[in-house]
Amino acid sequence: MSLKSSNNSDSPTGSLPKSPTGIAGLDEITGGGIPKGRPTLICGGTGCGKTLFSIEFVVHGALLYGEPGVFMSFEEKSEELALNVVSLGYDLEQLQRDKLLKMDYVRIDRSEIEETGEYDLDGLFIRLGYAIDSIGAKRVVLDTIENLFSGLLDQGILRAELRRLFEWLKGKKVTTIITGEKGEGTLTRNGLEEYISDCVILLDHRVANQISTRLLRIVKYRGTVHGTNEYPFLIDEAGISVLPITSLTLEHDVTSDRVSSGIPSMDKMLEGKGFFRGSSILVSGTAGTGKTSIAASFVHEACNQKKRAIYFAYEESPQQIIRNMRSIGIDLQQHVDSGLLQFQASRPSLNGLEMHLLSIHKAVELYDPQVVALDPITNLITVGSMSEVKSMLIRLIDFLQSRQITVMFTALSLNTIVNEQTDEGVSSLVDAWVLVREIESNGERNRGLYIMKSRGMKHSNQVREFVITDEGLNLVDVYLGPEGVLTGSAREAQQLQEQTGVVLHQNAINRKDREIERKRFVLESKIASLKEEFESMQDELNRTYVEEELRKEVMEKNREQLTRNRHDE
Amino acid sequence: MIEPAKLSDLESDDNNGKTYELRLFVTGASINSIRAIANLKHICESYIPGRYSLEIIDVYQQKDLAESEQIIALPLLIKKFPMPQRRLIGDMSDTAKVLKGLGISTKSE
């Protein structure tokens, strides 16, 4: 049992001092416990857990809060009571020896008693006072003081004395729990609620559809804010737990860390990274669309990352799941063996919804996983109505998110037409919703997967074909052609066709390349011949120029010769 | 076989012959206590003079007795003997009831 529950006996100034009950969940609802130093009435029908409730109050007081208690029973003998709570691990005998608890069984037998005139209950006062003083008790339980009404005839005296008793207890500054049997139209058979004005808690036990639910409601709590709803509570081997164990607010931390879905191509649809850590994911789809496989792959991936996971199976046994998943290349057994994966399988009809919720709570608290899968939540409908399942899931999601646990639910949608708002009405609660649907065409059924929503991230709006292979799960792009969405063999045909196209195209490209090469060759040879032509022309020009020079020189020489010859004459 | 007549003889013998062992639990000097003591003494003296032993206990002085003697309402008179044990609560002002409780038949007087 969680003992983390509030320990704020010294409440903030201004608010009523409270005495923690140590009962998981109750102290959260009441904001710290029941009023300190005052009487609290706990009423309810037979077998609703009043006595257990009050025993837990004194035992927790003695063991956890250092407040010894007196348990005065008007119904059961001390030994019987002690025997009843042995299964909860409470050793009342030892507590009595340690002076932490004082049990007193008050026996009133109508047939033995003769009333001969005026009397009072001083005997009870002395007895109780002596018990309180002998161990310095801070807590007192009177279970069920109403039995006095059947033992004593004079109602007038009794009522006056009870009023005096409660006042006296207040004066003693002990926190008292008085239990009372539920009456017709009143909270208690003898109207004890008239005397106890500080705090009244009503316990109820209802059976609907052959499944019982225990409910707790705070009818009245003077001077404090308290939850007013009916809270389901459970009695099991750890005692009483009131739900919700978690906070009632929406204040949990968020993170932008991601966890992989275990299917790389699905992660790609989610910005390539996967889901947010601590988010809730709903996978819904019709029968046989591979919801369990998605959940198993998610858990498998988490375990590969050395994260702890719990798989709550409500449909198949663990062995069945392990065997089936092996066929698609997911070996869950290794994770079970290495202690990373835990299976919690139960039939939904085993318990009421609340019991399921509590068993989830307990498993999570015990094992502290980072990833949880519930497969499928739709089966829980068999034990509760839609709204009950929804309220349970709200609380579950709330609880898991507060612990930063990523949860994946699978849900079976019964109708083939996708109804966007059903699915247990949880679609609005979850952070991500993956929908797997059948696409039936060309005489075959294929699975189409799309992400309906994923809060806080860009996600693909594409329908992908979801294929389950021997190597695991994969998502394939579907083909959108003139005939619509192509999946399965139609998609493969399209793929082949495209491949042919690619080969042809390649061939065409090669031909063009060669032509260009040829053209270039031609062009280059042309350039070479032109170049040669130019060089020969240049040579020609050079020759003419040289001849011209030579002629000029020769002529010059000749003229000089002529001149010289004339002078010689 | 015990004959019914014999049995009743035995009972009346017991009641007439044996000593009544009475214990009266009171709370200090409260009105009810004082009245109970007075009334009881008067009844005993009137009906079973000399054939009773009366122990008066103040529960305030011996608080642990409250639990061991299963005391709730006070004043409380316990008839320890003769059997069967009987418990009478109140200030003993209803003489008829006290006599009935103690098993004293008024007709014998």
Side-chain angles (χ1 to χ4, degrees):
Chain A
M1 165 164 304
S2 116
L3 303 177
K4 67 178 168 62
S5 48
S6 53
N7 194 5
N8 50 342
S9 41
D10 35 16
S11 320
T13 45
S15 83
L16 206 68
K18 289 176 185 176
S19 188
T21 58
I23 292 171
L26 183 66
D27 293 341
E28 274 86 348
I29 300 168
T30 53
I34 59 172
K36 201 178 183 71
R38 298 180 186 212
T40 293
L41 176 67
I42 294 186
C43 45
T46 317
C48 68
K50 299 185 294 288
T51 303
L52 184 64
F53 195 105
S54 37
I55 286 186
E56 285 212 11
F57 172 70
V58 283
V59 171
H60 289 157
L63 293 175
L64 304 178
Y65 306 110
E67 294 188 0
V70 171
F71 193 99
M72 193 171 248
S73 167
F74 295 81
E75 258 175 354
E76 287 178 277
K77 285 188 180 138
S78 311
E79 304 82 58
E80 291 171 356
L81 279 172
L83 207 63
N84 293 349
V85 294
V86 161
S87 58
L88 300 176
Y90 297 158
D91 188 352
L92 299 187
E93 302 292 333
Q94 185 58 42
L95 284 173
Q96 290 197 76
R97 279 194 292 274
D98 294 345
K99 296 266 178 207
L100 286 169
L101 177 69
K102 176 99 183 75
M103 306 273 291
D104 187 0
Y105 166 58
V106 177
R107 189 169 58 90
I108 318 154
D109 192 347
R110 181 68 254 167
S111 61
E112 276 189 8
I113 296 171
E114 197 78 57
E115 290 178 28
T116 65
E118 287 277 310
Y119 58 88
D120 52 42
L121 294 185
D122 268 344
L124 183 67
F125 282 71
I126 293 167
R127 193 162 163 179
L128 194 52
Y130 179 69
I132 290 170
D133 295 340
S134 65
I135 57 166
K138 295 275 183 291
R139 298 181 175 208
V140 169
V141 170
L142 302 171
D143 178 55
T144 306
I145 201 161
E146 285 190 316
N147 275 14
L148 287 179
F149 284 92
S150 60
L152 301 171
L153 275 187
D154 199 325
Q155 305 278 303
I157 291 178
L158 208 46
R159 285 180 186 282
E161 287 294 286
L162 283 183
R163 195 179 291 272
R164 187 163 72 95
L165 178 69
F166 298 146
E167 285 305 318
W168 176 79
L169 284 167
K170 269 193 201 178
K172 278 258 181 200
K173 298 215 185 313
V174 287
T175 313
T176 313
I177 283 188
I178 293 127
T179 63
E181 195 87 6
K182 196 175 176 348
E184 293 286 326
T186 53
L187 288 176
T188 58
R189 209 172 275 166
N190 297 293
L192 283 180
E193 63 270 23
E194 289 169 35
Y195 312 120
I196 301 155
S197 50
D198 294 300
C199 182
V200 178
I201 296 173
L202 178 67
L203 305 182
D204 201 359
H205 195 186
R206 260 179 246 155
V207 178
N209 297 328
Q210 295 146 31
I211 285 158
S212 77
T213 314
R214 295 174 190 274
L215 296 162
L216 175 147
R217 183 165 69 94
I218 297 163
V219 180
K220 158 168 157 182
Y221 198 148
R222 192 169 278 181
T224 193
V225 184
H226 60 83
T228 51
N229 300 340
E230 277 191 320
Y231 297 99
F233 73 97
L234 291 151
I235 299 177
D236 61 6
E237 66 276 10
I240 295 180
S241 324
V242 183
L243 299 165
I245 300 172
T246 53
S247 67
L248 306 167
T249 53
L250 281 171
E251 283 173 350
H252 32 254
D253 293 333
V254 291
T255 166
S256 42
D257 294 357
R258 298 293 186 92
V259 286
S260 168
S261 62
I263 307 168
S265 39
M266 196 198 276
D267 290 346
K268 221 172 275 172
M269 294 174 84
L270 302 155
E271 292 183 335
K273 296 177 215 161
F275 303 106
F276 282 122
R277 183 158 66 81
S279 65
S280 45
I281 304 138
L282 174 69
V283 177
S284 71
T286 44
T289 44
K291 298 179 298 296
T292 302
S293 308
I294 293 177
S297 135
F298 175 62
V299 166
H300 179 66
E301 177 64 21
C303 290
N304 282 341
Q305 308 280 327
K306 299 283 169 248
K307 289 176 181 158
R308 280 186 306 279
I310 307 185
Y311 195 109
F312 293 96
Y314 296 119
E315 210 168 42
E316 295 173 274
S317 72
Q319 290 76 17
Q320 225 174 332
I321 294 173
I322 290 170
R323 183 200 65 194
N324 296 349
M325 289 307 120
R326 203 170 278 149
S327 72
I328 58 165
I330 296 175
D331 182 13
L332 295 174
Q333 187 62 47
Q334 53 168 340
H335 302 309
V336 174
D337 294 341
S338 66
L340 283 169
L341 177 63
Q342 242 190 16
F343 276 98
Q344 297 266 333
S346 59
R347 281 274 164 211
S349 50
L350 175 70
N351 298 313
L353 275 182
E354 301 308 331
M355 204 69 175
H356 279 297
L357 182 54
L358 193 87
S359 63
I360 294 173
H361 267 276
K362 288 214 164 133
V364 166
E365 266 177 23
L366 203 72
Y367 193 60
D368 192 25
Q370 283 112 309
V371 164
V372 163
L374 269 88
D375 178 42
I377 51 169
T378 1
N379 263 20
L380 296 173
I381 295 287
T382 50
V383 284
S385 72
M386 218 64 145
S387 66
E388 282 169 336
V389 173
K390 186 174 177 180
S391 91
M392 173 207 164
L393 289 173
I394 290 174
R395 276 177 288 145
L396 180 62
I397 291 173
D398 195 31
F399 168 67
L400 294 173
Q401 290 198 337
S402 70
R403 299 181 69 109
Q404 294 281 309
I405 296 168
T406 319
V407 58
M408 182 177 272
F409 305 103
T410 69
L412 175 73
S413 31
L414 297 169
N415 42 355
T416 42
I417 307 154
V418 181
N419 193 339
E420 321 254 317
Q421 284 313 314
T422 48
D423 288 322
E424 286 59 69
V426 291
S427 48
S428 65
L429 302 172
V430 295
D431 297 314
W433 184 6
V434 176
L435 200 88
V436 193
R437 54 183 293 199
E438 301 278 0
I439 299 171
E440 196 180 313
S441 62
N442 301 335
E444 59 180 35
R445 299 179 85 176
N446 293 297
R447 304 177 183 91
L449 180 145
Y450 54 102
I451 293 168
M452 200 90 115
K453 77 169 191 185
S454 182
R455 284 183 183 145
M457 65 174 86
K458 272 186 258 170
H459 58 89
S460 166
N461 61 352
Q462 306 280 303
V463 178
R464 297 289 157 90
E465 189 184 341
F466 176 52
V467 284
I468 300 178
T469 65
D470 291 347
E471 285 78 45
L473 310 175
N474 199 12
L475 298 177
V476 187
D477 280 343
V478 292
Y479 278 83
L480 290 166
E483 298 111 67
V485 176
L486 297 183
T487 54
S489 46
R491 171 177 53 76
E492 272 165 26
Q494 179 76 26
Q495 256 170 342
L496 279 178
Q497 205 176 319
E498 291 222 343
Q499 268 170 20
T500 322
V502 164
V503 172
L504 288 174
H505 189 64
Q506 196 62 41
N507 189 36
I509 284 171
N510 288 350
R511 211 170 53 223
K512 267 208 173 102
D513 275 357
R514 280 199 301 277
E515 204 164 302
I516 286 168
E517 192 64 28
R518 261 199 312 277
K519 272 199 174 143
R520 199 173 53 139
F521 184 70
V522 169
L523 216 60
E524 273 174 359
S525 45
K526 264 186 185 166
I527 289 168
S529 73
L530 275 173
K531 223 177 189 173
E532 266 167 37
E533 205 172 311
F534 171 73
E535 273 168 10
S536 60
M537 272 170 85
Q538 206 174 21
D539 274 1
E540 195 75 20
L541 274 172
N542 277 347
R543 209 181 56 211
T544 323
Y545 180 71
V546 169
E547 273 176 11
E548 222 31 55
E549 284 279 308
L550 278 172
R551 189 175 291 152
K552 216 170 152 187
E553 207 176 303
V554 170
M555 276 172 82
E556 194 71 31
K557 266 182 191 167
N558 287 350
R559 204 173 52 229
E560 275 177 23
Q561 189 67 41
L562 275 175
T563 314
R564 217 168 27 237
N565 285 351
R566 213 175 286 150
H567 283 293
D568 286 343
E569 281 171 343
Chain B
M1 279 287 280
I2 301 162
E3 287 172 45
K6 254 190 180 172
L7 188 69
S8 68
D9 282 349
L10 204 73
E11 255 184 7
S12 62
D13 272 350
D14 261 356
N15 285 354
N16 293 331
K18 298 279 168 63
T19 309
Y20 284 85
E21 201 181 316
L22 305 174
R23 292 176 93 184
L24 181 64
F25 294 91
V26 294
T27 46
S30 70
I31 303 165
N32 279 341
S33 304
I34 292 166
R35 250 188 293 179
I37 295 167
N39 286 335
L40 184 63
K41 278 191 173 158
H42 177 74
I43 291 167
C44 290
E45 285 306 319
S46 317
Y47 296 95
I48 43 171
R51 286 196 286 125
Y52 70 96
S53 73
L54 176 62
E55 186 186 358
I56 297 169
I57 300 153
D58 183 358
V59 189
Y60 276 134
Q61 305 300 321
Q62 299 179 52
K63 292 184 177 179
D64 53 326
L65 277 182
E67 188 187 342
S68 54
E69 291 291 339
Q70 282 291 350
I71 298 170
I72 292 289
L74 287 173
L76 167 70
L77 173 67
I78 298 178
K79 182 191 73 167
K80 288 267 178 195
F81 191 86
M83 298 301 270
Q85 208 180 77
R86 293 287 299 180
R87 297 162 79 90
L88 289 82
I89 56 171
D91 61 7
M92 311 292 149
S93 54
D94 190 334
T95 311
K97 276 195 173 169
V98 176
L99 291 175
K100 182 169 163 262
L102 292 177
I104 298 166
S105 101
T106 41
K107 280 173 200 161
S108 65
E109 285 302 306

